[in-house]
Amino acid sequence: MVRPPGEEGTEVLFNQFKYFFNLYFLLLACSQFVNELRLGALYTYWVPLGFVLIITIVREAVEEIRCFLRDKEVNSQIYSKLSTRGTVKVKSSGIQVGDLIIVEKNQRVPADMIFLRTSERNGSCFLRTDQLDGETDWKLRLPVACTQRLPTAGDLLQIRSYVYAEEPNIDIHNFVGTFTREDGDPPVNESLSIENTLWASTVIASGTVVGVVIYTGKELRSVMNTSNPRHKIGLFDLEVNCLTKILFGALVVVSLVMVALQHFAGRWYLQIFRFLLLFSNIVPISLRVNLDMGKMVFSWMIKKDSKIPGTVVRASTIPEQLGRISYLLTDKTGTLTMNEMVFRRLHLGTVAYGMDSMDEVQSHVFSAYTQPPHDFAASRAPATTKVRKTISSRVHEAVKAIALVHNVTPVYEANGVTDQAEAEQHYEDTCRVYQASSPDEVSLVQWTESVGLTLVGRDQSSMQLRTPSGQILNFTILQIFPFTYESKRMGIIVRDESTGEITFYMKGADVVMSGIVQYNDWLEEECGNMAREGLRVLVVAKKSLTEDQYQDFEARYVQAKLSVHDRSLKVATVIESLEMEMELLCLTGVEDQLQADVRPTLEILRNAGIKVWMLTGDKLETATCTAKNAHLVTRNQDIHVFRPVTTRSEAHLELNAFRRKHDCALVISGDSLEASLSNVALQVCLKFYEYEFMELACQCPAVVCCRCAPTQKAQIVRLLKERTGKLTCAVGDGGNDVSMIQEADCGVGVEGKEGKQASLAADFSVTQFKHLGRLLMVHGRNSYKRSAALSQFVIHRSLCISTMQAVFSSVFYFASVPLYQGFLIIGYSTIYTMFPVFSLVLDKDVKSEVAMLYPELYKDLLKGRPLSFKTFLIWVLISIYQGSIIMYGALLLFESEFVHIVAISFTSLILTELLMVALTVQTWHWLMVVAELLSLACYVASLVFLHEFIEFDRRRGEIMRPHSSAPFLFFPSNVLGGNGPHQRLPQVSSVSLSPRPPNTPHTPSPHCTPQPRCTRLHKLGMHPCLLGFGQGQCGGGTHSGQGSGHHTGRKCHRPLLTSCQIRTLAKAPMTNLSLLSIDIYFIATLSFVWKVTVITLVSCLPLYVLKYLRRRFSPPSYSKLTS
């Protein structure tokens, strides 16, 4: 389903304005349309905000376009459809319910269908379901009987029939329906079950099939088992958002304090808004831009890392999440393992054969079938008395049993040289492919072929083996007892056509076979030894039956299958009557090959403090063996298998038993997990102990969850996030892992044999599991630490200039007059300091090799120490200290010209920021040096042209120029006169700050009382008459320094700005305030240089000393490790 075009854009804007500071700056920019609140040009607010939104929208648009192209590729796959016009081609997006679709071998099923016909002679087909349920076992599917008997596929269009199907649901293991053919006499009704279905996202493994579509779109089982993707917002972004709220609170407090110190005089509420605008730099809008651009750089670094080739970043908004993962949830098949089974061990009790001694097994099999006929017959005849068999005969019996007890079918395919029928007739080895419901069984049959006994043919009732001499052995299949999760074993009864012997062969897990075979003293010990090596152990046994014994069993077995009540129980009872005192033949050990470097990668993750959970749809025994083989469960750890429970009391007892174990890995089945994850299963006990279960599970060093459905995997991730509050990372490679990947805080897809469905839906895509170690330890760690440093430095940069503004306003009667405007304030956060601050994204505290060698360094990040309230408070104090030093230093050291304050303070501010970046950097990069020098050069170059900068008076609409070459300051003309606050003097538009003649008389205003607050200015080392605006005077031409309006011994060299005029100035619209220019001649003097140097050193040197002492006496953890 495609969303409306406007819906995606609306969602992007909504997600952006969920961030507090984005919403804050939107309101701030909108407030500039009010004349009384306007602080400067509109572009100074709208351009940064628009830049942030444009970057975000472009990034989201690119990702949406990529998703659209991927969906288009999937929906454009071509399939064949049966119609009245014959076979026509149709796109997968055009398939509808009721269509008859032809699916070829190795082609993906496009919709949920009922299986009608197959081209296979045995009337069945195999299905690969690893993309649906994660199980590597191939599933056997059977067509509807009445449609399979039709001569051709085209005859399906000639019959009149319909299918009744149940309502769509998420259960992929069950189905209830009926197939009715109405044109028969009588009408034919057949029940439909899971064996007659072909679910979407599965792959046809044998033959060509025809099916009728019953579900499409959102009703597909695979779609219903996939959760809707959510827009992921990183924990780091939420923390930064919280800090901006604190900064906004500080902004409000500072504004209220400023107005309170004015005793809430006049229109104080308007003054509050003006101060909010004046100190708006406390909440830096550049923070969002810097973080977004930093994330792009981090994503680019991940893509370009040559040590993890093929890595793709699909979600560039959360790279720093990789640095704080506490729980890693991984799939098994295709992620930890290669899904390639290899036969490793054959154990006969007294002798064991490994991979290096298989030639001995081959020689024993060869001798067994090439010895004289009487000896060969004797070796195959059942022993009537207990005699010690030779090693050769024991090996032969074990190999023959392994070659017979399975459900593998050999299939012959044309290879371009040999015809398929000819290859099947002559059993061509080069054209033979084995098909089975389990890769374990295929590996066993391939091993028997390698030692000389080859499975060459099989159908529903017979099986053919070829000996090393080329002789074909024919066996009739009398009964098959398939493997089930409950029985944990499979059996087969065959009749040797050459001798007429009837033999019952069985193989299964050691936990059930130990009670079936005859007593022995080595089975349990050797099974444990092989399991500790990570091998899947199967116990193989046999029992010879006489003709009478088999006939008696068959009669009872058929009678049990015809029973209406308790059929499964009665059938199991009959089969168990044969499963007694069976002869133990051998143990087999099969290994599921792990991906490259899985064990060291899991070791790195464990040392980094990350707990690994394995979620798989495979069987419990298989998952346990893989966990041991991959060293997810160490050798000295016990394993607690959480048994299925049905009542609350059983769950209570099981939890108590688990609680008593320490340092124990947990293995739990999805059937048990259903309790803690389902709110409708009232009878499932773990529903009542959800909190206790998660508390105990989170304490385990490792957890293995088997038999998990796709939705269960996502629910486990969700439950883990809710209960722990920690960040989770999900890793998978199949379509059944998509829900888990999308639910986790970070989703990593592995491009493997199961396709690219998981990698396309993930936030990050890797080619091998081993790349996960470097992705987290190096890139995740660096991204988080760099993002923390960048965000704190941007906040520090804004707080410094805000502190200076606060000092400036407090000194000059708490007037809401900006210290810097226009070009200076924009240039401060862009060209003057942007490049050095942003270059922190290249900083690193340790080399990547050290980060991989000492994964313990990753533990420090799990507590969020790089960006915490403690570090935030430290940077706030540093900002207040430096801002105060710079501003007070400029006020104390400026000479005869007031505007020298701007030159000294702004230059000191720029140099302080550049020096602070240099002090913060831990590993220098050549681009950092370039950024420092480039920013300094830009500032020096701008000074050359700054004196030519002019300001446009927006109220008068004309260009104002200074009266002389002296620096100048523009104020609104309605506040510069001396005739009171209500009288405008439009002829005065600018005031020269040049000294007036010393004997110029001053006439006090009749409406204003001069209150210069001389004491405060004298304490700052400033002459109170240095602000020479209006026509007021201090009184009598002399100044006493006590605020009395009298001078003592000094003449006023310029008129004084009275407090009344200051208040009037504070009420004026800020759009008429102009820039304080910088005197280029003053900057070139030695006096300016030493003053700026002193202020910069005083602001930075103590911090450098403290940093040196801290690293000297309390070095960071990585220093202790690397030493």
Side-chain angles (χ1 to χ4, degrees):
M1 180 179 178
V2 180
R3 285 180 292 184
E7 184 177 339
E8 179 63 29
T10 304
E11 182 179 350
V12 171
L13 291 177
F14 173 75
N15 288 327
Q16 283 305 304
F17 288 115
K18 284 198 301 186
Y19 293 113
F20 173 77
F21 51 86
N22 280 2
L23 180 61
Y24 164 69
F25 277 103
L26 175 65
L27 299 177
L28 189 67
C30 292
S31 70
Q32 295 304 290
F33 290 110
V34 181
N35 289 332
E36 292 185 337
L37 299 179
R38 185 174 297 180
L39 183 62
L42 288 177
Y43 71 88
T44 60
Y45 294 91
W46 284 102
V47 170
L49 181 62
F51 182 65
V52 173
L53 296 179
I54 287 174
I55 289 179
T56 303
I57 292 174
V58 168
R59 184 180 64 239
E60 295 287 344
V62 170
E63 293 181 359
E64 283 298 318
I65 291 173
R66 290 175 179 172
C67 291
F68 170 76
L69 294 178
R70 293 196 298 264
D71 294 342
K72 184 178 180 181
E73 180 183 357
V74 173
N75 292 329
S76 299
Q77 294 181 356
I78 303 299
Y79 291 87
S80 299
K81 172 185 173 182
L82 287 179
S83 66
T84 54
R85 303 190 307 272
T87 302
V88 297
K89 300 295 183 181
V90 60
K91 292 183 178 180
S92 57
S93 58
I95 294 176
Q96 300 177 352
V97 174
D99 290 346
L100 297 176
I101 304 299
I102 301 174
V103 186
E104 305 289 341
K105 181 181 178 181
N106 293 326
Q107 195 172 20
R108 193 169 300 279
V109 179
D112 290 350
M113 302 192 301
I114 296 298
F115 187 14
L116 299 181
R117 282 185 60 83
T118 178
S119 61
E120 294 290 287
R121 288 193 313 164
N122 56 12
S124 62
C125 81
F126 282 103
L127 204 64
R128 295 203 300 267
T129 63
D130 45 14
Q131 287 285 318
L132 183 64
D133 55 15
E135 295 187 19
T136 57
D137 300 354
W138 289 7
K139 306 299 188 300
L140 184 66
R141 292 292 184 261
L142 302 175
V144 178
C146 64
T147 55
Q148 178 64 25
R149 289 193 295 264
L150 295 176
T152 63
D155 294 334
L156 290 171
L157 299 171
Q158 309 301 323
I159 65 175
R160 189 169 71 253
S161 59
Y162 66 87
V163 174
Y164 166 78
E166 63 181 353
E167 292 184 355
N169 59 72
I170 65 173
D171 190 356
I172 59 177
H173 300 294
N174 294 287
F175 176 76
V176 176
T178 57
F179 182 91
T180 303
R181 181 176 177 180
E182 296 180 327
D183 57 353
D185 189 18
V188 178
N189 291 303
E190 291 190 30
S191 62
L192 301 177
S193 64
I194 189 65
E195 293 181 342
N196 309 113
T197 60
L198 303 172
W199 295 143
S201 298
T202 58
V203 178
I204 302 299
S206 63
T208 300
V209 303
V210 181
V212 58
V213 178
I214 57 173
Y215 303 124
T216 60
K218 293 184 176 180
E219 297 179 349
L220 295 175
R221 289 291 206 273
S222 57
V223 174
M224 298 181 72
N225 275 277
T226 303
S227 58
N228 295 325
R230 62 185 183 90
H231 182 80
K232 295 183 180 180
I233 300 177
L235 177 61
F236 180 82
D237 291 329
L238 297 177
E239 291 175 344
V240 171
N241 197 41
C242 179
L243 294 182
T244 55
K245 293 178 181 179
I246 296 175
L247 292 174
F248 178 75
L251 168 63
V252 174
V253 170
V254 171
S255 302
L256 290 175
V257 168
M258 287 293 181
V259 176
L261 292 175
Q262 294 181 357
H263 307 290
F264 295 97
R267 300 168 65 183
W268 58 269
Y269 50 88
L270 186 59
Q271 287 293 326
I272 292 178
F273 283 105
R274 290 163 67 99
F275 276 115
L276 287 175
L277 295 174
L278 189 64
F279 296 119
S280 61
N281 285 326
I282 292 179
V283 184
I285 191 173
S286 58
L287 179 61
R288 183 76 259 155
V289 179
N290 280 274
L291 288 179
D292 285 346
M293 295 176 63
K295 292 177 180 181
M296 293 181 183
V297 173
F298 303 148
S299 302
W300 180 83
M301 289 179 176
I302 294 174
K303 293 178 184 178
K304 295 301 180 180
D305 191 345
S306 60
K307 295 186 179 180
I308 48 174
T311 303
V312 180
V313 180
R314 305 190 189 279
S316 58
T317 58
I318 55 173
E320 72 283 345
Q321 293 275 82
L322 295 172
R324 306 177 66 180
I325 301 301
S326 297
Y327 290 91
L328 182 77
L329 301 101
T330 176
D331 182 36
K332 179 188 72 69
T333 307
T335 304
L336 296 178
T337 66
M338 300 173 63
N339 197 18
E340 294 180 0
M341 307 299 171
V342 180
F343 189 91
R344 294 293 186 190
R345 188 75 54 83
L346 177 68
H347 205 296
L348 302 179
T350 57
V351 61
Y353 298 95
M355 294 299 295
D356 54 348
S357 57
M358 288 303 170
D359 53 343
E360 298 183 25
V361 178
Q362 188 174 5
S363 64
H364 288 314
V365 174
F366 183 79
S367 63
Y369 286 102
T370 55
Q371 60 181 316
H374 62 279
D375 295 335
F376 178 48
S379 67
R380 296 196 303 173
T384 55
T385 61
K386 289 188 177 182
V387 295
R388 184 174 294 277
K389 298 181 180 179
T390 64
I391 291 296
S392 180
S393 63
R394 293 176 61 193
V395 170
H396 162 249
E397 289 181 0
V399 172
K400 186 174 74 169
I402 296 172
L404 289 173
V405 56
H406 54 71
N407 61 0
V408 180
T409 302
V411 177
Y412 294 87
E413 300 176 345
N415 59 3
V417 178
T418 307
D419 182 73
Q420 181 172 350
E422 182 181 353
E424 189 169 352
Q425 182 178 358
H426 296 90
Y427 302 130
E428 293 286 345
D429 292 341
T430 58
C431 305
R432 183 172 53 250
V433 178
Y434 293 117
Q435 293 180 343
S437 61
S438 172
D440 300 47
E441 302 217 306
V442 174
S443 65
L444 292 174
V445 173
Q446 288 175 339
W447 175 77
T448 61
E449 178 184 0
S450 67
V451 296
L453 199 58
T454 306
L455 175 68
V456 294
R458 179 173 182 163
D459 55 24
Q460 299 287 348
S461 59
S462 64
M463 193 183 310
Q464 292 79 37
L465 301 180
R466 187 174 62 195
T467 65
S469 60
Q471 178 187 2
I472 302 299
L473 304 179
N474 293 295
F475 296 87
T476 301
I477 301 176
L478 301 178
Q479 299 290 344
I480 295 180
F481 314 114
F483 179 91
T484 63
Y485 178 64
E486 292 76 17
S487 65
K488 296 182 176 59
R489 58 189 181 273
M490 78 156 294
I492 186 171
I493 301 177
V494 296
R495 186 198 304 272
D496 190 338
E497 294 296 332
S498 60
T499 62
E501 296 175 4
I502 300 176
T503 308
F504 174 35
Y505 292 102
M506 176 172 284
K507 68 178 179 181
D510 58 308
V511 292
V512 295
M513 294 296 291
S514 59
I516 294 176
V517 299
Q518 297 172 353
Y519 173 77
N520 60 86
D521 56 357
W522 59 272
L523 175 61
E524 183 178 355
E525 180 182 357
E526 295 302 330
C527 285
N529 294 335
M530 295 173 67
R532 279 187 287 272
E533 296 180 20
L535 301 179
R536 301 188 187 184
V537 183
L538 287 177
V539 180
V540 183
K542 79 168 188 176
K543 185 176 185 179
S544 298
L545 303 177
T546 63
E547 187 68 31
D548 294 338
Q549 286 177 324
Y550 174 72
Q551 294 298 333
D552 176 64
F553 166 79
E554 184 182 30
R556 292 185 290 115
Y557 185 66
V558 172
Q559 184 68 27
K561 291 203 298 185
L562 293 176
S563 177
V564 177
H565 302 290
D566 299 328
R567 177 186 300 177
S568 59
L569 179 61
K570 293 179 179 179
V571 169
T573 302
V574 174
I575 297 175
E576 287 175 1
S577 65
L578 283 182
E579 299 172 345
M580 294 186 299
E581 293 298 316
M582 298 188 69
E583 180 185 353
L584 175 61
L585 297 179
C586 65
L587 304 180
T588 62
V590 178
E591 179 186 11
D592 188 356
Q593 285 191 313
L594 297 175
Q595 296 273 4
D597 296 332
V598 164
R599 291 169 181 165
T601 301
L602 290 177
E603 184 71 18
I604 288 174
L605 297 176
R606 188 159 43 242
N607 292 337
I610 300 175
K611 292 188 177 181
V612 182
W613 290 26
M614 186 172 74
L615 312 182
T616 177
D618 226 329
K619 307 177 186 66
L620 186 143
E621 292 79 8
T622 305
T624 306
C625 287
T626 302
K628 293 179 179 178
N629 192 21
H631 293 176
L632 178 63
V633 178
T634 59
R635 294 188 176 185
N636 57 354
Q637 285 179 347
D638 294 330
I639 296 179
H640 178 81
V641 179
F642 202 95
R643 64 183 180 86
V645 290
T646 56
T647 64
R648 183 170 184 172
S649 58
E650 291 179 357
H652 182 72
L653 295 175
E654 187 67 18
L655 285 172
N656 287 336
F658 178 46
R659 186 179 286 110
R660 287 191 291 268
K661 296 185 178 181
H662 301 284
D663 193 27
C664 177
L666 173 65
V667 178
I668 186 168
S669 171
D671 301 332
S672 300
L673 281 173
E674 188 67 31
S676 61
L677 301 173
S678 174
N679 291 325
V680 296
L682 300 177
Q683 302 300 323
V684 188
C685 55
L686 286 185
K687 170 187 174 182
F688 305 104
Y689 298 104
E690 183 177 286
Y691 177 79
E692 290 81 359
F693 167 74
M694 289 303 302
E695 182 183 12
L696 293 174
C698 291
Q699 295 174 359
C700 295
V703 177
V704 177
C705 301
C706 56
R707 307 296 294 177
C708 287
T711 51
Q712 273 189 329
K713 291 184 178 182
Q715 288 172 326
I716 293 172
V717 175
R718 188 181 309 117
L719 192 63
L720 193 59
K721 288 163 51 180
E722 292 174 355
R723 291 300 181 187
T724 64
K726 303 293 183 63
L727 292 186
T728 59
C729 177
V731 187
D733 70 320
N736 61 310
D737 302 318
V738 171
S739 297
M740 172 180 68
I741 287 173
Q742 293 177 340
E743 182 63 36
D745 297 296
C746 281
V748 180
V750 181
E751 293 186 7
K753 294 183 178 181
E754 296 188 18
K756 294 185 177 182
Q757 193 170 353
S759 64
L760 293 177
D763 305 312
F764 305 90
S765 174
V766 296
T767 55
Q768 298 182 52
F769 182 83
K770 67 177 182 180
H771 293 166
L772 199 62
R774 184 173 179 86
L775 186 65
L776 297 180
M777 300 299 109
V778 177
H779 292 287
R781 183 175 182 273
N782 287 340
S783 297
Y784 176 48
K785 290 183 72 69
R786 290 166 175 173
S787 297
L790 180 62
S791 61
Q792 291 172 335
F793 217 97
V794 172
I795 292 175
H796 161 265
R797 183 176 63 186
S798 299
L799 285 177
C800 272
I801 196 170
S802 300
T803 302
M804 295 172 63
Q805 177 65 60
V807 172
F808 177 80
S809 296
S810 1
V811 168
F812 297 109
Y813 312 114
F814 308 104
S816 54
V817 179
L819 174 60
Y820 309 119
Q821 284 197 1
F823 179 75
L824 290 183
I825 197 67
I826 295 178
Y828 169 68
S829 58
T830 53
I831 60 174
Y832 295 154
T833 61
M834 180 182 71
F835 299 115
V837 172
F838 188 71
S839 67
L840 291 174
V841 300
L842 303 174
D843 189 23
K844 56 183 178 182
D845 56 344
V846 295
K847 296 181 179 180
S848 58
E849 294 79 8
V850 176
M852 292 295 295
L853 185 61
Y854 300 103
E856 293 82 4
L857 295 174
Y858 192 88
K859 287 184 179 181
D860 294 338
L861 308 184
L862 299 182
K863 297 180 180 180
R865 290 175 179 173
L867 182 66
S868 61
F869 289 111
K870 177 182 177 181
T871 58
F872 171 71
L873 181 59
I874 291 175
W875 277 101
V876 168
L877 295 177
I878 292 175
S879 304
I880 294 175
Y881 167 76
Q882 292 183 330
S884 303
I885 289 295
I886 293 172
M887 195 65 228
Y888 278 111
L891 291 174
L892 290 172
L893 297 179
F894 86 101
E895 297 179 351
S896 58
E897 301 294 341
F898 172 73
V899 291
H900 291 175
I901 294 178
V902 176
I904 296 174
S905 64
F906 194 77
T907 305
S908 301
L909 179 61
I910 297 298
L911 294 179
T912 298
E913 289 298 323
L914 298 182
L915 191 57
M916 281 297 294
V917 172
L919 294 178
T920 304
V921 171
Q922 295 176 325
T923 303
W924 281 93
H925 190 277
W926 66 270
L927 285 176
M928 295 179 175
V929 180
V930 171
E932 291 270 342
L933 297 178
L934 180 62
S935 297
L936 186 60
C938 288
Y939 179 63
V940 173
S942 64
L943 294 180
V944 178
F945 307 99
L946 192 61
H947 70 285
E948 298 178 356
F949 185 81
I950 56 176
E951 180 71 16
F952 185 75
D953 189 306
R954 289 169 174 77
R955 170 168 293 192
R956 295 176 55 87
E958 61 179 357
I959 302 268
M960 268 80 67
R961 299 183 183 274
H963 296 305
S964 67
S965 60
F968 57 93
L969 170 67
F970 289 123
F971 277 118
S973 55
N974 63 319
V975 299
L976 297 180
N979 296 327
H982 306 293
Q983 181 176 353
R984 295 175 56 89
L985 295 177
Q987 74 277 8
V988 183
S989 60
S990 64
V991 178
S992 172
L993 295 184
S994 304
R996 289 178 177 270
N999 296 323
T1000 303
H1002 305 318
T1003 305
S1005 168
H1007 297 86
C1008 295
T1009 303
Q1011 296 177 359
R1013 304 185 182 180
C1014 309
T1015 305
R1016 179 187 306 171
L1017 298 182
H1018 269 304
K1019 288 182 179 179
L1020 294 175
M1022 298 171 55
H1023 193 279
C1025 296
L1026 288 176
L1027 291 175
F1029 306 125
Q1031 299 180 14
Q1033 63 175 4
C1034 297
T1038 59
H1039 181 56
S1040 65
Q1042 301 300 324
S1044 59
H1046 299 281
H1047 286 286
T1048 57
R1050 295 184 61 181
K1051 293 291 185 178
C1052 287
H1053 294 285
R1054 63 197 65 203
L1056 179 67
L1057 181 65
T1058 65
S1059 60
C1060 185
Q1061 291 168 334
I1062 288 290
R1063 297 190 194 99
T1064 308
L1065 171 64
K1067 298 176 183 178
M1070 292 188 177
T1071 54
N1072 295 333
L1073 299 181
S1074 298
L1075 177 69
L1076 268 171
S1077 179
I1078 296 179
D1079 187 357
I1080 188 64
Y1081 305 108
F1082 173 68
I1083 290 177
T1085 63
L1086 185 62
S1087 174
F1088 170 80
V1089 173
W1090 79 260
K1091 291 176 181 179
V1092 169
T1093 303
V1094 169
I1095 293 175
T1096 305
L1097 289 178
V1098 172
S1099 64
C1100 295
L1101 189 59
L1103 300 178
Y1104 175 77
V1105 173
L1106 291 176
K1107 179 181 178 181
Y1108 171 78
L1109 294 176
R1110 181 183 178 185
R1111 293 180 65 88
R1112 178 69 176 83
F1113 297 104
S1114 180
S1117 57
Y1118 61 82
S1119 300
K1120 301 174 183 177
L1121 287 173
T1122 53
S1123 62

